[in-house]
Amino acid sequence: MLRPLLTDKATAPLTFSLDPPDNQRLAVLCGQLDHNLKQVASFFEVVITSRGPLFSISGSEKAAEQAKLSLNELYAQTMDQRSLNDEAVYRVLRSVANCEKITDSVLKIRTPKKQVKPRSRRQYQYVTDILTSDVVFGVGPAGTGKTYLAVACAVQAMAADEIERIILVRPAVEAGERLGFLPGDIGQKVDPYLRPLYDALYEFLGFERVARLLDRNVIELAPLAYMRGRTLSNAFVILDEAQNTTRQQMKMALTRLGFGSKAVITGDITQTDLPDGTVSGLSHAIDALGEVDGISATYFTPSDVVRHALVQRIIEAYDAKQE
């Protein structure tokens, strides 16, 4: 039996059974020395006791229901997993805390290598916006899945022949660096800035297929400056790190869209690397285009972070310091 972790106001315990009973899967669910159960109990501030497949959860009604939902989802994952690491458990907890019930009916993004599903209400809204709007802004802190989900949607659209090309763009202004001061040809100069996009592409398509598509220019990765003068038709354009664009650059990027194209603009307006006094093109565009039909925006918060739990606490600590 798991020892009570936290006390709570007296409420009727929520009891249930995990089916089908399987001692090996139950051991994976609980973790070594009940580590996973302790993580669930601590997260929702409930008391969990267990005896085989029978569980009892004490706490507030909402917290107990969320803990139960989390345990059911984690138990389902043990069907094909021999262990549950902290990251896997945390992602489920965050999804449930954001009131996004995880079931097979949840919206899924299908790519050749894997399926991806939103892990929070805001991620769900973000993906829905991408599927239904021509221009989408995804704004918020690191670790909320803005770029990852945008790349997944682009790969899905290409696999379904909805678009002909994927164009991944970043402004070449980060940490005080500019392209002209970096060694190598243009490909070598741009590569470090686009590495997160490469990583997502490899995950969804595989190394060999990405290499072939890059050689054929079906997937194009480029600095924002190289977009000037172009018209992009039947393309899925992702402008990443858009907080580092100027107003003129953002206008230029948005007006590149041709027929059959879609644009997703992602960034964190609190992390701009622009010179002091320069207005971020992302901030300006959000203000200027908020009422334009066909444009949607999703605003992520630290509670939507799906990386290591510590990342969320770091973001919240920085935000508190700035207030």
Side-chain angles (χ1 to χ4, degrees), residues 18 53 101 108 122 184 201 211 281 322:
L18 292 176
K101 185 175 181 180
K108 291 182 179 179
R122 286 191 182 88
L201 286 171
Q322 291 175 354

Side-chain angles (χ1 to χ4, degrees), residues 22-50:
D22 185 313
N23 289 336
Q24 185 174 357
R25 289 177 60 190
L26 286 167
V28 173
L29 170 68
C30 296
Q32 189 173 14
L33 300 176
D34 290 326
H35 174 74
N36 296 338
L37 294 188
K38 292 176 182 177
Q39 192 173 349
V40 175
S42 176
F43 188 90
F44 291 113
E45 297 186 348
V46 296
V47 176
I48 301 176
T49 58
S50 66

